[in-house]
Amino acid sequence: MGYKTVLKGLLPLAATVLSTGAFAGKTELTVYTAFEADQLKEYEKSFESAHPDIDIRWVRDSTGIVTAKLLAEKNNPKADVVWGLAATSLMLLKQEGMLQPYKPQGVEKLRKSFVDNAATPSWVGAEAWVASICYNTVEGEKNNVPAPASWKDLTKPVYKGHVIMPNPNSSGTGFLDVSSWIQMFGEENAWAYMDGLHQNISRYTHSGSKPCKLAASGETTIGISFAYRGAKSKKKGAPLEIITPTEGLGWDLEATAIIKGTDKLEAAQKLMDWSITREANTMYNKYYAVVGIPSVEKQVPFYPENIGKKMIDNNFEWAASNRQAILAEWQNRYDGKSDPK
Amino acid sequence: MSYLSISHLQKSFNDLLALNDISLEIEKGEFICFLGPSGCGKTTLLRTICGLESQDSGSIIQDSVDISRLSAEKRDFGIVFQSYALFPNLSVFDNIAFGLVNQRRPKQEITDKVNELLSLTGLQEHAQKYPSQLSGGQQQRVALCRALAMEPGLLLLDEPLSALDAKIREHLRREICRIHRKLGLTTIMVTHDQTEAMTMADRIVVMNAGRIEHVGTPEEIYLQPASAFVADFIGTSNTLYGEIKDTSLLLPGWTAPVALVEKRTGGETTILIRPEHLTLHNEQPSGPHAQGTISDIEFLGSQLSVELKLDDHQTQSNKALKATLSLQDAHHLTLTRNCPVWISVQPNNVCLLAEQEASAA
Amino acid sequence: MNVLLKQNPLTRLSFSGQGAGIVLSIIGMLVFLVLPVWSLLSRSVENKDGEFIGLANFAYYFQTPALLESAWNSLIIAAACTLLVTSSAFLYAYALNRTSMPGKSVFRLLAQLPMLAPSMMPAIGLIYLFGNQGVIKEWFPADSVYGAGGIIVGLSLWCFPHALIIINTALSLSDKRLHEAARVMGTPAWRRFLTVTLPAARYGLISAALVVFTLVLADFGVPKVIGGQFDVLATDIYKRVVGQQNFQMGAVVGVLLLLPSLLAFGLDRFFQRKQQESFSTSAVPYKPEANTTKDTLALIYCSVVAIGLMTVIGMAIYASFVTFWPYNLSFTLANYDFDMMDGGGWDAWFNSIEMAFLTALIGSLCIFLVAWLNEKTKGLKQSRNLLHLLAFMPLAVPGLVLGLGYIFFFNHPDNPLHWIYGTMTILVLSTIAHYFTVPYLTATTALKQIPNEFSAVADSLKVSQAQLFRRVTLPLSLPALLDISVYLFLAAITTVSAVVFLYSTDTTLAAVAILNMDEAGDTSPAAAMATVVFVSATVVRLIHSGLTASLRKHSQAWQLK
């Protein structure tokens, strides 16, 4: 009788589930991250080969969501380390007193802007990710939509319905766009700019890479995203042009920090140490042009050249302390979609 | 002491009094029928005896053991239901052996026992079949075997024949009686079919509205019904109201009083006369009689059923009288609709209801 | 417990084991259904710090036009889908029952396709058909597939089989004799349709409409994938909770989602009771006669619907094998390299299979046992009535609401069951609770067909109820048990609604992975994962058919009737 065999087969399965045990002898670190999913495996492998006694357990989501999750878990933290979260978010956590300061070995080799400026830093940067516009040349031609050269171009009527950008509430990329516009144009002008831009936006996405992926697949002509994602899609053969607007580029650091109260402090510190080693920086440089140790930097294929020069003089402190107010204002203005189309 | 002694059973479902002060003694080896219309409490009584229902008060003693509060599986009975309730996924053999196997009896013993029962009921060649491959009558016999397999002290039959065709019913009726005689097993059968009860039972318990109306042999029940209900339920009967004076009874519409067989105190009373006990005449007979008009005639094969109305306008009973007579008797008479007839009755065929019954009715 | 004491000693003593079972079942229902929903309700009237603030959260909600608009959008979508699905499913069922068109069994099968897929799959299929790079983009009736239009079409496709099953049953129960009587009286066909067919099916139609309404309201897979900027309650609740970790507002939206579902549930119960009253068990099944015009029309209609369903699902499958949509259409398996993407990789699929197996196994046993306790044991009448009522409750609780309730209830540090939070266990339990009612009804129906006399016979034969259960009840109920387990398996492998709040990094699920991949813009891999789920579900469905057939063959001997 067939069904009996099936039932018998199920029993061991149930047994294994019930006996989900811990890995013997290894320290398991719960690491919250907003690194791109396609980078995680490599990062994990590199770190674990350097520290075979530590296992990484990733919890990955968009920047905004990881931030919100960490804040929500403030009284009952689940993460040990945050590796790869926007510096602005980490500053916010620092203000909330959630980070464990630690001076990792070799911190002096990093760019100064990549290190929290306290005596014992609460976070250290890994790489910088930089805002960019992904422009689909095929769709541009088909729809008669010219390539924009500046942020301001995007408010022109010709772009109506052809632009997608990430929602800053959930996406770190979305937030660095908004924060950079405010820093570059001034508060009032920036909101006026966004009011105009909003008219042309067809959709706000949850994730920062989705606009570029949608541009890559022609679902939209223009996706406001970040350079790495554009380069990656271009490598795959997407008809993309990665545009770095003339006014300047918002950027943020993906940084590492230890969550206060972790009972695996030693392992967490090992991870923080390793995250700024030369080896780690070389690894980041495969994807990002600007990393913590300038001497390892090499040109990243398909990456826009000299992107570093267009990066604005980002005031992280300001961005972090105004983050919540900016997001609330943004949500009030645009998240309503009082005009859905 | 009797085998099964039931005293003062009381049971109600919400507002409905299902068993109202039931007391009954059943002797070892007796075949008892619970008879009554649907909803009279006969099935509830049966289910209470075996513990499927629990009484609110009263006691049941079986074979000198008080089983009043024992749960069903601790009591000693076998049961057969109207719906057979055979296990469809088990063969005839496995159905009958179900209880024996559970008791881990030796294999040989089980086989012997089952085969014995199968041959008792003539089902030997069906042992390996499934219930759905058998006819209704065969299935009911399997159910009977299953109930007998554990050699219970008490056999309960809950309308076992009601689902069967008329012919098979009659056959199985005799079969059950034969098995009962052979095994001498105390048996209680619930039925609403009076013929079944009359032909099978040693004693009949007639029930109505949660009460026992009459307990007696089939003859007693038929000839001396204890109440109008019993008389009406068993066969048909004419209910009349009369007045007793000294040793005779005056019936409305009758020319003269009818002599009484038994002695009664005077006054108004209810009497019953079976239709077959009314004699019809084309001419005025001698002795007490009444006159009427035929309102309807029904041909029933071996018998003729005649409905007539008494001419007396003071008739208290608004029921017309019924008379039945054999075809042979009818030959000597001229019976057509609207023709006048005379009726008479033998004094020993006039049944007086018990006094309290008479006043209640 | 009052209820216990009221029973008389006989029943109490002899059935104490089963009584304990019933009490245990009730406790189970309370812990895994009632209390989580209660936690949600209470959270909706608290502020961030857990202080009671009355209806302030609701006041805030209703003062925010953007939020209010989601509620309005939800209602519009639900109304549109209900109308569309009920009418199209009715026509389809009508063709299956009342015409003699060829290929009915094929059409019956094809109509079930969407049940084997998570709701995101038809939405993804629609994107490849009608999206900005869709192959037949121009055919879409609205401006853009992203928005209300896409949501309505996607959800309608997904709900279609659910409505069809109900209406099909209603139509097949219709009494042939009524049709004959009407015909003998010379009633024209259109009047027969209006006076006989429609009234007989009306409770089925109402029931189907309410089921679709509830499903649409509670689904967020479709609006998430294809909704664009068109927000509905279901996506709102997700945004508040996952995006902003704003649990109070999430609870408020949850309550708003719960109310219409409760209303629909109440109406459905009301009409079902009416239907039972009007249904005659002696109905003679209707046998349609050949009618060339009618049959041809029916064939065309059913073909269009079936091809539509196949195209949308098929498109998602096709796109999953395309290298780089729409610029490089060469074949690839790269989209199935899930380990390089968001969503949890192939582990998500393994987790899903494991979760679905456990749900099917544990769920079938628990649900069947509860149904058995309720149907086949005696005594404890009030408790059993309560249990029966509780068993129906899951129908009225949308998955998102249940999932959110689980967070509130089980993630509370004081809850002794806190440890199940973030484990496979909570996923399995929430899924069983969410999908409890339909299997429970299946089990109850099957058990009702087993005569109550069996238990009396067993008593008289000194055979325990447990033995009776093992040797008779269970074998007789095997087909129903198989149906239940496959239903639970399919539900578990395709669901996102409750589990989206409850999965953890170690227990990501395939259906949730589809969402996350789509969210990250990886539409083709999302299509690939949907295909994997679809194929898994299909395989299980086929195994189920095989098992059922072999079971039927095995038990043929005793199932002649």
Side-chain angles (χ1 to χ4, degrees):
Chain A
M1 286 193 288
Y3 48 91
K4 270 201 175 162
T5 356
V6 171
L7 287 183
K8 271 181 197 153
L10 279 174
L11 290 177
L13 179 70
T16 47
V17 169
L18 294 173
S19 63
T20 316
F23 301 93
K26 283 194 175 183
T27 312
E28 196 190 67
L29 274 184
T30 300
V31 181
Y32 279 27
T33 188
F35 279 140
E36 293 293 293
D38 42 18
Q39 299 159 358
L40 290 185
K41 288 266 155 155
E42 186 188 348
Y43 290 8
E44 181 181 346
K45 226 169 113 191
S46 305
F47 171 74
E48 286 177 3
S49 61
H51 293 281
D53 53 331
I54 301 174
D55 256 336
I56 289 183
R57 185 175 161 273
W58 295 111
V59 175
R60 196 204 104 72
D61 219 315
S62 298
T63 307
I65 291 179
V66 176
T67 310
K69 212 171 157 95
L70 283 162
L71 285 171
E73 290 169 0
K74 188 179 169 188
N75 297 323
N76 188 16
K78 300 222 163 80
D80 298 308
V81 180
V82 179
W83 181 20
L85 187 66
T88 38
S89 291
L90 287 178
M91 286 173 183
L92 183 66
L93 298 183
K94 184 186 166 187
Q95 285 166 12
E96 296 279 331
M98 291 173 65
L99 299 184
Q100 172 71 48
Y102 172 63
K103 190 168 190 175
Q105 294 169 20
V107 70
E108 57 287 344
K109 276 181 271 175
L110 296 183
R111 287 175 204 267
K112 207 167 162 280
S113 58
F114 270 55
V115 184
D116 179 20
N117 54 19
T120 308
S122 285
W123 54 266
V124 288
E127 28 69 11
W129 94 99
V130 188
S132 288
I133 294 174
C134 295
Y135 171 74
N136 186 314
T137 51
V138 174
E139 298 307 309
E141 197 167 327
K142 202 160 65 181
N143 299 327
N144 276 327
V145 175
S150 64
W151 291 116
K152 294 251 160 95
D153 280 353
L154 290 178
T155 56
K156 289 180 182 163
V158 67
Y159 294 108
K160 190 168 177 64
H162 293 296
V163 186
I164 290 183
M165 80 168 273
N167 182 330
N169 270 293
S170 53
S171 155
T173 307
F175 177 69
L176 69 81
D177 290 329
V178 174
S179 119
S180 71
W181 292 331
I182 296 177
Q183 291 184 54
M184 286 188 292
F185 307 152
E187 184 122 0
E188 209 165 307
N189 288 335
W191 287 113
Y193 168 71
M194 283 184 265
D195 286 343
L197 184 62
H198 181 67
Q199 299 305 316
N200 289 347
I201 297 276
S202 72
R203 161 152 57 128
Y204 294 102
T205 64
H206 172 91
S207 107
S209 35
K210 190 169 185 177
C212 195
K213 287 180 185 167
L214 289 176
S217 64
E219 275 297 317
T220 184
T221 310
I222 293 168
I224 299 177
S225 189
F226 56 103
Y228 160 71
R229 187 40 67 192
K232 178 103 183 168
S233 295
K234 218 171 157 177
K235 196 172 153 194
K236 269 185 166 177
L240 280 187
E241 194 180 318
I242 303 170
I243 293 169
T244 52
T246 49
E247 295 99 327
L249 302 176
W251 59 282
D252 204 338
L253 290 172
E254 288 198 295
T256 315
I258 298 172
I259 298 294
K260 193 177 267 176
T262 172
D263 51 1
K264 293 158 189 160
L265 188 60
E266 199 184 326
Q269 288 172 345
K270 277 185 192 163
L271 175 59
M272 188 126 156
D273 289 341
W274 190 84
S275 78
I276 56 165
T277 54
R278 203 170 180 80
E279 188 189 351
N281 272 272
T282 315
M283 183 180 76
Y284 303 142
N285 186 230
K286 279 199 217 167
Y287 307 98
Y288 296 97
V290 180
V291 297
I293 305 177
S295 55
V296 307
E297 283 173 11
K298 284 185 190 141
Q299 174 64 31
V300 180
F302 298 102
Y303 227 75
E305 282 177 40
N306 296 327
I307 198 166
K309 291 190 179 136
K310 281 191 181 169
M311 283 159 67
I312 62 164
D313 184 13
N314 205 348
N315 185 346
F316 288 132
E317 294 287 349
W318 173 86
S321 22
N322 289 287
R323 187 173 184 273
Q324 261 159 334
I326 294 171
L327 291 182
E329 175 67 16
W330 190 91
Q331 190 178 341
N332 252 347
R333 283 176 183 248
Y334 314 120
D335 204 12
K337 269 89 56 183
S338 30
D339 43 352
K341 286 276 160 63
Chain B
M1 191 174 177
S2 49
Y3 178 73
L4 190 71
S5 171
I6 295 168
S7 42
H8 306 294
L9 278 194
Q10 200 85 17
K11 162 92 183 167
S12 51
F13 297 110
N14 299 326
D15 293 339
L16 181 81
L17 198 55
L19 298 179
N20 186 359
D21 194 27
I22 300 284
S23 295
L24 183 65
E25 302 287 323
I26 295 174
E27 299 303 323
K28 198 166 182 70
E30 255 192 318
F31 195 121
I32 298 288
C33 272
F34 293 171
L35 178 66
S38 55
C40 71
K42 57 189 189 294
T43 298
T44 308
L45 180 55
L46 186 88
R47 293 174 65 86
T48 310
I49 290 173
C50 62
L52 295 173
E53 302 284 353
S54 51
Q55 69 276 26
D56 301 337
S57 63
S59 69
I60 307 172
I61 291 165
Q62 181 180 3
D63 208 9
S64 311
V65 179
D66 186 348
I67 59 166
S68 312
R69 291 292 166 197
L70 286 185
S71 60
E73 74 267 20
K74 299 210 172 74
R75 300 191 189 188
D76 180 21
F77 69 99
I79 191 162
V80 174
F81 290 103
Q82 174 180 352
S83 59
Y84 325 134
L86 294 176
F87 305 130
N89 58 324
L90 301 181
S91 67
V92 166
F93 186 97
D94 289 338
N95 259 286
I96 300 173
F98 195 73
L100 301 170
V101 168
N102 188 58
Q103 295 195 330
R104 299 181 193 284
R105 304 261 188 97
K107 227 174 173 166
Q108 192 55 46
E109 188 192 323
I110 295 175
T111 316
D112 290 347
K113 182 77 203 172
V114 174
N115 284 334
E116 179 198 325
L117 288 164
L118 283 172
S119 63
L120 181 72
T121 48
L123 289 169
Q124 298 94 320
E125 71 268 35
H126 301 301
Q128 291 316 316
K129 288 189 182 165
Y130 287 101
S132 61
Q133 294 166 306
L134 301 179
S135 73
Q138 289 168 328
Q139 290 189 53
Q140 198 55 296
R141 276 183 280 169
V142 176
L144 190 62
C145 290
R146 185 177 62 183
L148 295 172
M150 300 288 285
E151 298 177 352
L154 181 63
L155 178 64
L156 305 176
L157 309 171
D158 188 2
E159 306 237 12
L161 306 175
S162 304
L164 301 172
D165 295 342
K167 275 262 164 71
I168 298 168
R169 193 165 8 178
E170 206 171 303
H171 176 74
L172 204 52
R173 209 155 74 191
R174 279 196 287 273
E175 189 112 345
I176 291 174
C177 287
R178 180 177 63 82
I179 291 168
H180 172 251
R181 277 196 300 274
K182 189 164 175 193
L183 302 177
L185 190 58
T186 313
T187 303
I188 301 176
M189 179 169 98
V190 163
T191 180
H192 63 266
D193 181 331
Q194 42 166 309
T195 325
E196 236 169 72
M198 299 289 236
T199 51
M200 298 172 80
D202 294 327
R203 281 195 302 154
I204 296 176
V205 176
V206 184
M207 294 182 66
N208 181 36
R211 287 187 312 139
I212 292 180
E213 293 270 347
H214 195 172
V215 181
T217 64
E219 289 85 350
E220 283 168 0
I221 300 258
Y222 189 79
L223 295 174
Q224 296 293 317
S227 66
F229 172 82
V230 177
D232 208 43
F233 191 75
I234 309 285
T236 43
S237 92
N238 297 303
T239 312
L240 300 167
Y241 301 94
E243 202 179 343
I244 297 173
K245 267 191 183 150
D246 300 330
T247 57
S248 61
L249 170 76
L250 186 63
L251 291 166
W254 240 257
T255 53
V258 182
L260 274 182
V261 178
E262 58 178 307
K263 201 172 153 55
R264 276 288 179 91
T265 48
E268 300 229 321
T269 189
T270 311
I271 63 145
L272 303 168
I273 303 174
R274 294 284 178 194
E276 65 270 25
H277 292 150
L278 281 176
T279 317
L280 297 190
H281 313 267
N282 273 131
E283 284 154 26
Q284 185 166 1
S286 56
H289 65 266
Q291 195 184 356
T293 315
I294 294 179
S295 55
D296 203 4
I297 302 175
E298 266 180 343
F299 176 67
L300 301 175
S302 62
Q303 281 185 321
L304 218 55
S305 167
V306 177
E307 197 177 276
L308 47 90
K309 287 207 170 78
L310 289 189
D311 289 345
D312 189 297
H313 296 295
Q314 293 167 359
T315 306
Q316 291 168 20
S317 165
N318 49 16
K319 258 201 292 187
L321 289 185
K322 272 203 166 153
T324 48
L325 62 168
S326 67
L327 277 188
Q328 222 157 7
D329 293 342
H331 263 301
H332 309 293
L333 297 166
T334 319
L335 298 173
T336 52
R337 204 171 288 175
N338 296 328
C339 89
V341 284
W342 285 264
I343 52 173
S344 66
V345 65
Q346 294 292 319
N348 59 348
N349 284 334
V350 174
C351 170
L352 295 177
L353 285 188
E355 275 172 78
Q356 69 272 27
E357 273 296 328
S359 55
Chain C
M1 289 210 106
N2 246 341
V3 200
L4 272 172
L5 294 176
K6 266 186 157 172
Q7 300 299 318
N8 78 55
L10 176 74
T11 26
R12 199 180 77 210
L13 284 175
S14 60
F15 297 107
S16 54
Q18 290 161 12
I22 285 174
V23 173
L24 219 65
S25 306
I26 291 176
I27 292 174
M29 296 300 265
L30 288 178
V31 171
F32 294 107
L33 186 67
V34 179
L35 292 178
V37 174
W38 177 252
S39 310
L40 174 105
L41 292 178
S42 64
R43 188 61 72 96
S44 71
V45 291
E46 285 173 4
N47 66 9
K48 253 191 171 145
D49 302 319
E51 291 152 352
F52 179 80
I53 49 165
L55 295 176
N57 288 332
F58 288 88
Y60 172 79
Y61 187 95
F62 284 108
Q63 280 159 12
T64 315
L67 295 177
L68 204 57
E69 188 163 310
S70 306
W72 181 238
N73 287 347
S74 270
L75 282 179
I76 290 177
I77 295 283
C81 286
T82 304
L83 206 69
L84 192 64
V85 174
T86 315
S87 51
S88 58
F90 176 76
L91 284 180
Y92 202 93
Y94 185 85
L96 287 178
N97 282 286
R98 297 298 161 77
T99 72
S100 42
M101 65 167 184
K104 281 185 189 174
S105 51
V106 178
F107 285 124
R108 227 172 242 131
L109 225 63
L110 288 177
Q112 304 298 318
L113 278 184
M115 278 191 132
L116 302 172
S119 62
M120 291 77 76
M121 194 172 187
I124 291 172
L126 286 177
I127 288 181
Y128 284 111
L129 281 173
F130 303 113
N132 293 338
Q133 295 298 333
V135 285
I136 43 171
K137 182 185 167 189
E138 305 74 31
W139 294 20
F140 197 72
D143 270 2
S144 160
V145 77
Y146 298 106
I151 300 179
I152 292 173
V153 177
L155 275 171
S156 297
L157 291 171
W158 185 63
C159 296
F160 183 77
H162 295 270
L164 181 67
I165 289 173
I166 299 171
I167 300 176
N168 197 42
T169 313
L171 276 180
S172 66
L173 288 177
S174 183
D175 197 338
K176 179 189 178 189
R177 291 169 303 183
L178 288 176
H179 292 268
E180 283 175 345
R183 182 178 264 179
V184 169
M185 289 187 285
T187 320
W190 63 270
R191 269 209 70 178
R192 289 208 301 273
F193 178 82
L194 286 181
T195 52
V196 181
T197 305
L198 264 187
R202 77 171 173 267
Y203 294 124
L205 281 171
I206 291 171
S207 187
L210 292 168
V211 164
V212 173
F213 187 83
T214 317
L215 276 177
V216 169
L217 217 52
D219 179 77
F220 86 122
V222 172
K224 192 90 194 52
V225 170
I226 209 170
Q229 293 305 94
F230 193 83
D231 271 356
V232 293
L233 282 177
T235 47
D236 235 26
I237 196 175
Y238 179 77
K239 247 195 203 164
R240 301 297 139 213
V241 173
V242 174
Q244 302 169 358
Q245 310 273 310
N246 184 344
F247 293 100
Q248 289 72 33
M249 236 352 115
V252 169
V253 187
V255 172
L256 293 181
L257 205 53
L258 185 62
L259 290 179
S261 300
L262 274 176
L263 185 72
F265 170 75
L267 284 174
D268 190 37
R269 291 283 88 204
F270 174 75
F271 285 117
Q272 291 241 324
R273 201 156 296 159
K274 284 214 145 175
Q275 171 155 41
Q276 271 157 15
E277 283 161 14
S278 71
F279 175 61
S280 142
T281 45
S282 61
V284 179
Y286 181 87
K287 283 244 165 53
E289 289 163 21
N291 175 334
T292 321
T293 327
K294 204 164 139 188
D295 296 348
T296 315
L297 283 174
L299 185 64
I300 293 172
Y301 173 75
C302 289
S303 305
V304 168
V305 173
I307 290 172
L309 293 175
M310 282 194 297
T311 311
V312 173
I313 302 275
M315 200 60 205
I317 298 176
Y318 167 65
S320 74
F321 293 109
V322 165
T323 307
F324 197 95
W325 189 276
Y327 304 110
N328 181 356
L329 297 182
S330 61
F331 175 87
T332 182
L333 286 175
N335 293 322
Y336 287 82
D337 190 6
F338 298 133
D339 291 343
M340 290 307 288
M341 295 154 198
D342 268 322
W346 276 98
D347 282 350
W349 179 74
F350 286 118
N351 285 339
S352 265
I353 293 289
E354 184 184 324
M355 198 274 260
F357 261 118
L358 289 173
T359 303
L361 188 73
I362 300 169
S364 306
L365 293 180
C366 289
I367 294 172
F368 191 78
L369 203 66
V370 171
W372 179 76
L373 284 169
N374 215 21
E375 194 55 41
K376 291 291 171 199
T377 64
K378 294 155 246 180
L380 295 175
K381 198 157 173 27
Q382 281 140 307
S383 307
R384 287 191 308 164
N385 285 343
L386 176 67
L387 186 58
H388 194 62
L389 189 76
L390 287 173
F392 273 95
M393 227 185 95
L395 269 192
V397 182
L400 285 171
V401 174
L402 190 69
L404 197 50
Y406 269 50
I407 299 187
F408 295 144
F409 186 65
F410 291 107
N411 199 23
H412 199 284
D414 297 339
N415 190 318
L417 286 172
H418 179 67
W419 61 272
I420 73 168
Y421 192 72
T423 64
M424 183 59 87
T425 313
I426 200 169
L427 296 179
V428 171
L429 288 172
S430 68
T431 309
I432 294 174
H434 183 196
Y435 291 101
F436 193 90
T437 311
V438 173
Y440 172 80
L441 284 176
T442 310
T444 303
T445 312
L447 286 169
K448 269 194 200 302
Q449 285 164 0
I450 295 176
N452 284 325
E453 282 93 351
F454 281 8
S455 117
V457 168
D459 279 346
S460 78
L461 297 174
K462 313 284 173 264
V463 173
S464 69
Q465 295 298 317
Q467 277 289 331
L468 178 73
F469 182 81
R470 194 181 65 78
R471 286 198 61 198
V472 179
T473 315
L474 203 57
L476 289 181
S477 311
L478 261 186
L481 258 176
L482 268 182
D483 285 350
I484 291 172
S485 54
V486 80
Y487 172 89
L488 286 173
F489 187 95
L490 295 182
I493 204 171
T494 55
T495 189
V496 280
S497 51
V499 292
V500 77
F501 292 135
L502 301 172
Y503 76 94
S504 68
T505 319
D506 302 327
T507 56
T508 49
L509 298 172
V512 178
I514 299 171
L515 270 185
N516 287 337
M517 289 190 212
D518 174 78
E519 209 163 70
D522 295 323
T523 317
S524 307
M529 188 61 100
T531 304
V532 169
V533 171
F534 179 74
V535 169
S536 315
T538 309
V539 168
V540 168
R541 195 88 182 75
L542 290 176
I543 293 175
H544 169 251
S545 305
L547 281 181
T548 308
S550 91
L551 192 65
R552 193 171 295 142
K553 207 168 149 201
H554 170 78
S555 59
Q556 213 166 24
W558 47 270
Q559 283 183 332
L560 276 181
K561 280 189 278 186

